[in-house]
Amino acid sequence: MDGCRMNCELLATCSALGYLEGDVYHREPDCLESVKDLIRYLRHEDETRDVRQQLGAAQILQSDLLPILVQYPQDKVLFDAVVRLMVNLTQPALLCFGKVPADATSRHHFLQVLSYLQAYKEAFASEKVFGVLSEKLYDLLQLDWEQRQEEDTLLIERILLLVRNVLHVPPDPTEEQRVDGDATVHDRVLWALHISGMDDLLKFLASAQMEQQWALHVLEIISLMFRDQSPEDLAVLGQGQAGAEHGEDTRELQSLRQRELAEKRTRALQRPYRHSRFCGSYVLQGLKAIGDRDVVFHKGLHNLKSYSHDLGKEPRRVPRRRQAAPEAEVPHRSARNVRLFLHRFCRDFLEGCYNRLMLLVKEHLVREKAQQHDETYYLWACAFFMAFNRRRGFRPELVSETVGVRAFHFIEQNLTAYYEMALMDKKEAVTWARRMHLALRAYQELLRTVQEMDRSPEPAVRDSSQVIKSNIFYLMEYRELFLTLFRKFDETKQPRSFLRDLVETAHLFLRMLERFCRGRSSLVVQSKRVRRKKQPRAPAAPQPPSTEELQELWAGLAPQLQACLQGEVPLPEDVVPFDAASETPVEEQRAEALLRIQGCLRDARVPQALRLLRSARDVWPEGDVFGPPNAGPPEETRLLQDIFFALLPRESVALGMGGLRFGDAAAPQHCPIAEHAPPEAEEPEEEEEAEEEEEETVQVSEKEFNFHDYLKRFACAPVVRALVLLLRGYPRNTARTNHCAARLLHRLARDLHMEPLLFQLSLFALFNRLLHDPAAGAHQELVALAKFILGKFFALAATNKKAFVELLFWKSPAAAREMSEGYGSLREGEGAGRSRAPPWTPQEEQLLRELYWKYKEVEGSDVAGAILAQLPAPGRTRRHLVKHLVRLGLIGSARELPRQRKGTRIVLWTQEQEEELTRLFEEFRGSDDVLGRILQHLTARRSRARVVDKLLALGLVATRAELYKKRRRKGQDPAPGAPAALGQDSSEDGDSEEEEEDEEEDEEPMEGPEEGAGPGLAQRLHQEGLAGPLRWLQSCLRRTAEDREEDGASHPAPLVPLSEENEDAMENRRFQGLLRRLGLRPPESEQETFWRIPAALTPRLLRRAAASITHRGPDPSGSPQGLPEPPQCPRDPDPAASPQPPDSESEEPDPSPPQPHTKRERDLDSEDEASGSSGPAVPPEDEELQPLGRRKRIRRVEEEEEED
């Protein structure tokens, strides 16, 4: 009933518009109200767009709205309403449905709306309609800004939107099956637009000073006008005789005719001279049939070459996910008069509008005044008009706005962003690939324009070209761009046209770079160097204390607890059970309060534990978790005992007052604290415990560029695979495309002497088809390449019998070298094979089995270490040994042979240890480094943090500042008992940057902390050359925050590194530590590859995290306290705020009391600031806040001064 009533209402409303009698339209008195009712109906249509479909089926726009628009333009209110309605009716179907629907019903509605839009476009191919719109737009543009009302501005925008919507309608391939040169519906619309003078108004809007707000509208309309056009064809139009325009068609027809004649001759030669009614039967020796016998062939010998086992079989259906990406729209050659009009429009637009319009559009994009994805129109305009200018008498001044280093940077950034989104947004990967193709074409035209500038007769233009090339060849991002695109090319997401433009652009870039290097003796470029330092694994989590130890400790705490309950010992007053500044709500901090109480009890700080219990009871009285409100001493004693013995599962929670950190365990069922305990932390699974960790530091520097070494990076399987894929369609490719692909293969095979890299079966099948092609004469360059590669292969196959098997595999440079020089040659020589372990002989494998069974039964021994010591062959490492044991099946995985951890698992302090600590403190309290001397002479190894906490608990020191290392001025005698050199303290940190890349595997664990808090770690990473990855991380955080604000929903967003610099940074341990401190989550399973931004991080936290890693220059105040703290993920609390475990061997930075700097220290600080080191300048009194590396440099300088 509702649908029927709606149809009746629509019918009545449409009938009230008026009627058409001949060529005259008579409107009804309620015409204006009916138009407004139709607008209201469209506003409330359902998801199937039923109102839009009914109006399209009734042809309201063709029979009513357009006649009203043409015959009543003087009625301003009616004209405005009709334009509003037509803008709504003609909006693209993608905007109506959001995307192309996947289900059949919604897709049917989508196609129906699209068919009605195509009918609307055909109705707009009228000179009268565009004439009325042009006159109205002209009258509105004649008004000054003082006279122009808001309604006039809205009408201008609606007219531009209406033109945009009409031009945006795609053609109907089933209806418009026309040949080149015939006029399509789009051509007729363009011709009507030209006759009405609308094109002149568009050029006026693009060049007028007062009409800057319409820049993006005009550029979008222009891009739709030239949607099916080729800039090269338009540029050469009118430059010669009319017959010259058909030269390409003539050459194509001649090629097809030549192929046909060659096929006829081949068939004539294969036809037997004597006709035979019975052709006979033949046995094909060596070709097996279904059974064990040879194939019997019952046809003539001239049909033998077409025989295949696949004859008569149904072709295998390719799954949709593996089908090739659809190609973009094929350029259509319009009618000659339309192309002449577009040619003149391009010429006038370049001469009077291009530079100004592109400047305005770029400003809108940079200041984010445009809508989403509007930069694609900018990229299209760059590619189209620069190509038109290049082919039509190159004039660099006409495109000066889009030629420069900034243009290269803008396009490269967008190209990288599109590819990044293509990896993350899998469902819209094809759309992102299409945008990426636009950016690649713009990049290609920039390179071609710079190449044309090199040929300019003007010296100033040639000098500008040299400056541009020196900048783009210097930066690493531009050189790595093509390698990344080749390595990540996916034919299911990116069309073949993208690969064609990629190969042509890479060929052009290599040729320009080769010529640029050829004219110079040396070229310095930006480079990066990765230093790898082997780091020992962090010590294992400490085991919780045993029940006997807890009972013994509780027995010692009972008297002190009774004294506190009776009031004999005063309780501290400054204990707060919650953190008001934390992001975690106060109600959710109850579990942390339990952990803090337990930590105080197990650290023998009973007054603090009792005060925490009573304060927590006041904050969280519900549930009597911390006891009833009127709890007495016996109840408090029993409650503290339950908390003390409870095995609470813990995350990395910061325990106040120096609390401990215990291992994970399940709370006992009988304990009332169990249900309020914090959730158990999920420990990340280690892939291989026996594998040694490596720390990678990326350092950006400068080096001399070698073109030959750069070309070697293209010698990889992804590049060869992409080139072979492109050459499969060599008959359809242009001559330039085949030349570029053949030239790249020639560089790899001939220039690099890596012919085996091209020994691949799919490429040889392509060569076979090429050599048997009757029209192979048109591809002489490919034929020459094929003969050269085949000759090299058969020459190698004469000496290497495995060459035919190697055809089945894509090869790396190392495999290609082994194939030509002999297998195993790299293990004996230089290069990549130098790091390989020697092969295992049968005798060594037998010895390995015997040693394994010998040491396997020995309890407490390091099996892998013992076997490694007994092996006679040098060059073996623990990692190679464990992997080979797995390969032999002796062990299931590397986890069965873990590396023995060094360090202590002592948790509690005994009375003898406390007495020893007191004695050492009294002995060294007069030295410059009290804490350092105590740690050196302490019998039981403790971390620096545990010793400091114990000294505070025993009352030996009042504050931590008393334990700071004292600095001595130059010339001052050392105190008695002090070390001879201050360099010993820096050696304790264990994080020296002067370590060699290959350290011993069993080195001592580091005693210094890994890094400081988030901002300090970010500044340290800036100093190590990771400024680029930090900027990339900052942009990802901000972009995710914007997306979550726009969508209103939060989903985990992956961090996908594209460049090799970002990929190396994601493997850096310090960079991963920064990611954890910012709240980011590492991959949880084998199906996840990338780190992810959790959904729990709000946009405010993401922006706060991005601000915390911002690179800051020297701060005059010298205090970094104003830096914002990074947000903390609920799953990954800040390890910097957590105390170290009792058995941790890491130490805190050793600050010192304020001392004046010497002159040499001031000189060093000035050099650091002049060299651009990141981080705020820190005065001597705040030295504990300095980065670790800066303190070490100052210590080394002081040591040198003391030695002098």
Side-chain angles (χ1 to χ4, degrees):
M1 292 299 295
D2 293 341
C4 181
R5 185 173 66 252
M6 190 66 183
N7 291 333
C8 295
E9 293 178 359
L10 278 177
L11 181 60
T13 305
C14 295
S15 300
L17 291 174
Y19 60 93
L20 184 64
E21 185 178 3
D23 295 337
V24 180
Y25 188 86
H26 302 277
R27 61 176 180 176
E28 296 290 344
D30 297 335
C31 180
L32 178 60
E33 297 301 326
S34 299
V35 172
K36 293 182 179 179
D37 289 340
L38 291 177
I39 295 175
R40 186 160 50 252
Y41 291 150
L42 286 172
R43 190 181 301 127
H44 296 91
E45 62 181 353
D46 59 6
E47 66 276 0
T48 62
R49 310 303 175 195
D50 56 340
V51 178
R52 195 177 304 271
Q53 293 188 47
Q54 295 175 36
L55 294 179
Q59 298 184 358
I60 294 299
L61 187 139
Q62 296 94 318
S63 60
D64 294 280
L65 298 182
L66 288 181
I68 293 175
L69 185 75
V70 173
Q71 296 188 18
Y72 300 99
Q74 66 279 1
D75 192 341
K76 184 176 181 181
V77 180
L78 180 60
F79 186 89
D80 190 10
V82 171
V83 170
R84 285 178 56 194
L85 180 57
M86 288 195 298
V87 169
N88 197 340
L89 284 175
T90 58
Q91 69 178 354
L94 285 175
L95 291 181
C96 297
F97 290 87
K99 61 179 181 179
V100 179
D103 58 301
T105 304
S106 300
R107 191 176 182 85
H108 171 72
H109 295 307
F110 176 83
L111 295 177
Q112 282 292 113
V113 172
L114 187 60
S115 63
Y116 295 140
L117 289 175
Q118 292 166 352
Y120 295 160
K121 184 174 184 178
E122 188 172 1
F124 267 93
S126 172
E127 301 176 7
K128 294 181 180 180
V129 176
F130 274 99
V132 173
L133 293 176
S134 300
E135 291 178 2
K136 180 61 70 172
L137 183 60
Y138 177 79
D139 295 339
L140 294 174
L141 294 178
Q142 290 297 316
L143 300 176
D144 296 334
W145 278 100
E146 295 81 4
Q147 302 175 356
R148 190 178 299 178
Q149 302 297 326
E150 183 178 0
E151 295 80 5
D152 300 332
T153 304
L154 289 176
L155 186 55
I156 293 175
E157 183 177 8
R158 287 167 183 159
I159 291 176
L160 294 177
L161 289 177
L162 180 60
V163 176
R164 189 278 309 268
N165 291 345
V166 172
L167 293 174
H168 189 275
V169 177
D172 188 358
T174 59
E175 297 293 336
E176 298 186 8
Q177 296 180 354
R178 304 176 184 270
V179 297
D180 288 343
D182 197 1
T184 61
V185 175
H186 191 76
D187 295 339
R188 288 190 280 128
V189 172
L190 290 178
W191 186 251
L193 184 144
H194 170 60
I195 295 298
S196 64
M198 182 68 73
D199 56 337
D200 296 329
L201 294 178
L202 293 176
K203 288 184 284 187
F204 170 76
L205 290 174
S207 59
Q209 177 71 24
M210 305 300 295
E211 309 294 343
Q212 297 182 4
Q213 57 180 329
W214 315 116
L216 282 169
H217 290 79
V218 172
L219 186 61
E220 186 176 2
I221 292 174
I222 292 175
S223 67
L224 295 173
M225 289 172 56
F226 293 91
R227 181 173 54 190
D228 298 335
Q229 306 299 325
S230 172
E232 290 82 2
D233 295 342
L234 288 179
V236 300
L237 186 65
Q239 294 184 2
Q241 299 179 358
E245 300 177 7
H246 302 284
E248 184 178 355
D249 295 340
T250 304
R251 288 191 296 270
E252 185 176 358
L253 288 175
Q254 290 178 354
S255 176
L256 294 176
R257 179 61 177 168
Q258 181 182 1
R259 182 187 298 271
E260 182 181 4
L261 293 176
E263 291 177 354
K264 286 183 178 181
R265 288 194 300 267
T266 304
R267 287 197 299 267
L269 293 176
Q270 292 177 353
R271 188 179 299 114
Y273 294 102
R274 183 176 62 85
H275 172 71
S276 175
R277 184 182 302 272
F278 304 99
C279 299
S281 298
Y282 304 92
V283 177
L284 305 182
Q285 294 182 359
L287 187 62
K288 297 299 180 181
I290 299 177
D292 296 334
R293 298 182 179 181
D294 295 335
V295 174
V296 178
F297 188 65
H298 297 283
K299 295 183 179 181
L301 292 178
H302 59 280
N303 295 322
L304 181 60
K305 291 185 178 180
S306 61
Y307 176 78
S308 173
H309 283 307
D310 296 332
L311 292 176
K313 297 180 181 179
E314 294 183 359
R316 181 177 298 178
R317 183 176 176 272
V318 181
R320 181 175 299 178
R321 69 178 186 275
R322 297 180 58 186
Q323 292 179 359
E327 291 289 341
E329 297 180 358
V330 180
H332 171 73
R333 184 180 300 174
S334 303
R336 180 175 175 80
N337 56 346
V338 177
R339 286 186 288 135
L340 287 173
F341 140 65
L342 294 177
H343 174 85
R344 289 192 295 268
F345 183 90
C346 286
R347 182 189 61 197
D348 298 340
F349 182 79
L350 277 173
E351 293 177 354
C353 312
Y354 179 80
N355 286 330
R356 175 174 180 78
L357 182 64
M358 298 301 282
L359 176 62
L360 293 175
V361 172
K362 180 71 172 295
E363 183 179 358
H364 282 50
L365 295 174
V366 172
R367 298 187 178 183
E368 298 182 354
K369 295 182 180 180
Q371 295 182 359
Q372 194 176 14
H373 308 314
D374 276 351
E375 70 277 358
T376 55
Y377 301 111
Y378 180 87
L379 298 174
W380 173 88
C382 288
F384 189 89
F385 289 104
M386 292 177 69
F388 183 87
N389 178 64
R390 177 174 52 83
R391 294 297 299 269
R392 183 188 169 271
F394 178 69
R395 294 173 60 186
E397 66 275 6
L398 298 182
V399 292
S400 59
E401 180 58 37
T402 54
V403 177
V405 180
R406 293 184 178 179
F408 274 100
H409 176 72
F410 181 79
I411 295 175
E412 188 269 337
Q413 291 294 319
N414 282 279
L415 183 58
T416 305
Y418 292 153
Y419 187 74
E420 189 173 324
M421 291 304 301
L423 291 179
M424 293 190 297
D425 192 0
K426 298 293 185 181
K427 295 183 179 179
E428 300 294 332
V430 177
T431 304
W432 289 109
R434 194 175 298 118
R435 297 189 182 110
M436 185 166 49
H437 192 187
L438 285 175
L440 180 62
R441 292 181 61 184
Y443 193 88
Q444 180 184 11
E445 283 304 324
L446 273 178
L447 289 177
R448 290 185 175 182
T449 302
V450 173
Q451 186 184 30
E452 289 292 333
M453 292 171 64
D454 282 340
R455 305 170 184 172
S456 175
E458 301 179 7
V461 177
R462 294 196 301 270
D463 295 341
S464 301
S465 171
Q466 294 297 320
V467 171
I468 294 174
K469 289 193 296 184
S470 62
N471 280 276
I472 63 174
F473 293 153
Y474 172 79
L475 293 178
M476 183 175 48
E477 292 78 9
Y478 301 109
R479 301 195 307 271
E480 301 292 330
L481 178 63
F482 301 104
L483 291 169
T484 303
L485 294 179
F486 269 121
R487 187 172 63 249
K488 303 294 185 179
F489 175 77
D490 185 3
E491 60 177 328
T492 62
K493 303 296 187 300
Q494 297 158 309
R496 192 72 60 89
S497 56
F498 176 86
L499 180 59
R500 180 194 63 220
D501 290 333
L502 175 60
V503 170
E504 293 181 3
T505 310
H507 167 73
L508 178 61
F509 185 85
L510 288 174
R511 188 173 61 178
M512 293 175 61
L513 182 57
E514 183 180 18
R515 293 180 179 177
F516 189 80
C517 297
R518 190 179 302 168
R520 288 165 175 77
S521 57
S522 63
L523 175 63
V524 178
V525 296
Q526 189 185 69
S527 177
K528 64 179 180 181
R529 186 170 64 92
V530 180
R531 291 188 60 190
R532 292 180 173 85
K533 292 192 301 181
K534 297 179 181 178
Q535 298 290 346
R537 287 186 177 273
Q543 296 294 331
S546 61
T547 305
E548 293 76 9
E549 293 177 344
L550 290 177
Q551 292 177 353
E552 181 181 356
L553 182 58
W554 177 256
L557 294 178
Q560 187 178 2
L561 178 60
Q562 295 299 326
C564 294
L565 291 174
Q566 295 175 4
E568 299 177 2
V569 177
L571 302 182
E573 300 293 337
D574 56 347
V575 178
V576 180
F578 63 91
D579 185 6
S582 175
E583 297 290 340
T584 307
V586 177
E587 296 297 331
E588 299 179 7
Q589 296 188 28
R590 177 165 35 188
E592 298 182 9
L594 289 172
L595 296 175
R596 295 177 61 188
I597 294 174
Q598 189 186 68
C600 292
L601 288 174
R602 295 186 177 184
D603 206 20
R605 292 183 284 112
V606 179
Q608 289 85 346
L610 184 58
R611 172 57 66 186
L612 272 175
L613 178 67
R614 294 175 177 177
S615 301
R617 183 188 307 154
D618 297 336
V619 177
W620 298 289
E622 62 276 1
D624 294 341
V625 178
F626 299 96
N630 54 353
E635 295 179 351
E636 290 181 339
T637 302
R638 186 174 62 257
L639 187 60
L640 289 175
Q641 184 178 6
D642 291 340
I643 297 177
F644 179 81
F645 284 98
L647 299 178
L648 302 178
R650 295 168 177 253
E651 296 176 345
S652 296
V653 180
L655 304 182
M657 307 294 294
L660 302 178
R661 179 185 177 189
F662 299 89
D664 299 332
Q669 298 297 328
H670 68 275
C671 180
I673 310 300
E675 59 182 2
H676 302 282
E680 184 177 357
E682 297 181 0
E683 296 185 359
E685 298 182 358
E686 298 181 359
E687 296 182 358
E688 289 185 4
E689 290 190 6
E691 183 176 356
E692 194 175 49
E693 294 184 1
E694 291 186 354
E695 178 186 357
E696 295 185 356
T697 303
V698 180
Q699 298 178 351
V700 179
S701 59
E702 291 184 343
K703 69 172 186 179
E704 289 192 6
F705 180 76
N706 189 336
F707 178 78
H708 193 266
D709 294 340
Y710 175 71
L711 188 60
K712 287 181 180 179
R713 303 193 60 187
F714 285 86
C716 56
V719 176
V720 179
R721 189 183 298 113
L723 294 175
V724 172
L725 179 63
L726 180 62
L727 285 178
R728 286 178 184 173
Y730 73 92
R732 300 182 300 273
N733 294 340
T734 62
R736 174 173 175 78
T737 302
N738 289 332
H739 166 73
C740 294
R743 184 67 181 121
L744 282 176
L745 291 176
H746 182 271
R747 287 181 183 275
L748 301 180
R750 192 68 178 268
D751 298 351
L752 298 180
H753 302 288
M754 292 187 181
E755 297 88 355
L757 199 66
L758 306 184
F759 295 166
Q760 218 283 330
L761 192 59
S762 58
L763 182 59
F764 279 19
L766 173 63
F767 287 162
N768 180 61
R769 182 161 61 96
L770 173 66
L771 296 177
H772 289 84
D773 190 355
H779 311 287
Q780 290 297 329
E781 190 174 10
L782 291 177
V783 171
L785 177 65
K787 293 181 178 179
F788 171 75
I789 297 299
L790 292 175
K792 291 291 184 180
F793 172 76
F794 289 115
L796 179 62
T799 57
N800 186 359
K801 300 303 180 183
K802 299 179 181 179
F804 293 96
V805 182
E806 293 280 4
L807 289 175
L808 302 175
F809 308 99
W810 298 99
K811 287 166 281 297
S812 63
R817 181 177 174 184
E818 282 189 332
M819 187 177 176
S820 59
E821 298 181 5
Y823 298 98
S825 60
L826 293 182
R827 299 186 181 94
E828 303 171 0
E830 302 176 352
R834 180 177 51 186
S835 60
R836 299 184 182 181
W840 291 83
T841 62
Q843 295 78 11
E844 292 176 344
E845 290 183 351
Q846 182 63 27
L847 176 62
L848 180 61
R849 291 187 179 92
E850 296 176 357
L851 292 175
Y852 173 75
W853 293 111
K854 175 181 179 181
Y855 292 105
K856 179 184 178 181
E857 305 300 333
V858 181
E859 297 183 359
S861 65
D862 185 8
V863 179
I867 295 176
L868 197 62
Q870 298 294 329
L871 287 178
R876 303 289 185 191
T877 63
R878 184 188 185 94
R879 180 178 179 182
H880 296 148
L881 174 65
V882 173
K883 284 188 174 182
H884 200 68
L885 288 174
V886 175
R887 189 178 297 111
L888 293 177
L890 298 177
I891 58 176
S893 65
R895 299 180 183 180
E896 298 182 15
L897 299 179
R899 187 187 303 274
Q900 289 187 349
R901 306 299 183 184
K902 296 185 178 181
T904 177
R905 295 182 181 274
I906 300 177
V907 176
L908 305 177
W909 289 82
T910 63
Q911 184 176 1
E912 292 78 7
Q913 293 172 351
E914 292 181 355
E915 294 176 356
E916 180 188 12
L917 180 63
T918 305
R919 178 180 56 81
L920 292 175
F921 176 78
E922 296 296 338
E923 179 180 354
F924 298 112
R925 70 184 310 170
S927 62
D928 292 341
D929 186 10
V930 181
L931 189 58
R933 302 291 288 172
I934 291 176
L935 290 173
Q936 291 179 2
H937 294 82
L938 200 62
T939 304
R941 296 188 60 183
R942 300 278 185 172
S943 67
R944 186 182 293 263
R946 300 282 71 76
V947 174
V948 172
D949 292 338
K950 196 61 181 178
L951 290 174
L952 290 172
L954 294 176
L956 299 178
V957 293
T959 61
R960 297 176 182 267
E962 299 180 18
L963 299 175
Y964 290 167
K965 188 175 181 180
K966 300 179 178 61
R967 300 292 183 185
R968 292 179 287 104
R969 299 183 181 180
K970 183 178 180 181
Q972 183 178 353
D973 296 334
L982 296 178
Q984 296 177 2
D985 180 70
S986 61
S987 64
E988 293 175 1
D989 295 336
D991 194 23
S992 176
E993 296 180 354
E994 286 75 27
E995 295 179 4
E996 297 295 330
E997 297 184 7
D998 296 328
E999 296 178 354
E1000 296 295 333
E1001 295 182 358
D1002 296 329
E1003 65 178 341
E1004 293 293 328
M1006 293 188 303
E1007 297 182 3
E1010 184 173 316
E1011 276 300 336
L1017 179 55
Q1019 301 299 330
R1020 176 66 181 274
L1021 293 174
H1022 271 285
Q1023 295 177 0
E1024 293 181 355
L1026 295 180
L1030 287 174
R1031 288 193 298 270
W1032 165 74
L1033 174 61
Q1034 191 176 21
S1035 65
C1036 290
L1037 294 174
R1038 290 175 176 171
R1039 183 163 57 252
T1040 305
E1042 295 175 358
D1043 294 341
R1044 291 181 178 180
E1045 285 183 347
E1046 293 177 0
D1047 300 340
S1050 299
H1051 303 283
L1055 286 177
V1056 183
L1058 298 181
S1059 63
E1060 291 188 4
E1061 181 183 10
N1062 294 340
E1063 291 180 359
D1064 295 339
M1066 293 298 292
E1067 298 175 359
N1068 192 323
R1069 291 184 62 244
R1070 287 197 180 94
F1071 196 84
Q1072 293 178 357
L1074 176 63
L1075 296 179
R1076 292 182 184 275
R1077 295 174 189 181
L1078 295 181
L1080 274 62
R1081 177 173 62 82
E1084 290 184 345
S1085 61
E1086 296 179 356
Q1087 297 181 355
E1088 293 186 358
T1089 306
F1090 307 107
W1091 284 66
R1092 277 168 167 75
I1093 303 175
L1097 296 182
T1098 62
R1100 182 175 63 85
L1101 295 181
L1102 290 174
R1103 289 193 175 91
R1104 185 178 176 186
S1108 66
I1109 59 176
T1110 304
H1111 179 52
R1112 294 171 173 85
D1115 187 4
S1117 63
S1119 176
Q1121 297 177 358
L1123 297 176
E1125 293 294 333
Q1128 302 301 323
C1129 178
R1131 301 178 58 181
D1132 295 312
D1134 188 359
S1138 304
Q1140 298 294 332
D1143 63 334
S1144 173
E1145 299 181 5
S1146 61
E1147 299 179 0
E1148 298 177 351
D1150 189 12
S1152 63
Q1155 293 291 342
H1157 282 199
T1158 61
K1159 180 177 183 300
R1160 189 167 183 179
E1161 292 175 359
R1162 292 194 297 271
D1163 293 341
L1164 179 62
D1165 294 346
S1166 63
E1167 291 176 1
D1168 292 341
E1169 297 173 359
S1171 62
S1173 61
S1174 59
V1178 183
E1181 58 268 20
D1182 293 332
E1183 189 176 355
E1184 62 272 15
L1185 300 176
Q1186 297 181 8
L1188 186 58
R1190 185 179 178 87
R1191 291 200 306 272
K1192 292 179 182 178
R1193 291 196 297 270
I1194 295 178
R1195 289 173 187 167
R1196 289 196 294 270
V1197 171
E1198 291 176 347
E1199 182 181 355
E1200 294 175 0
E1201 292 176 353
E1202 293 172 1
E1203 292 177 356
D1204 294 341

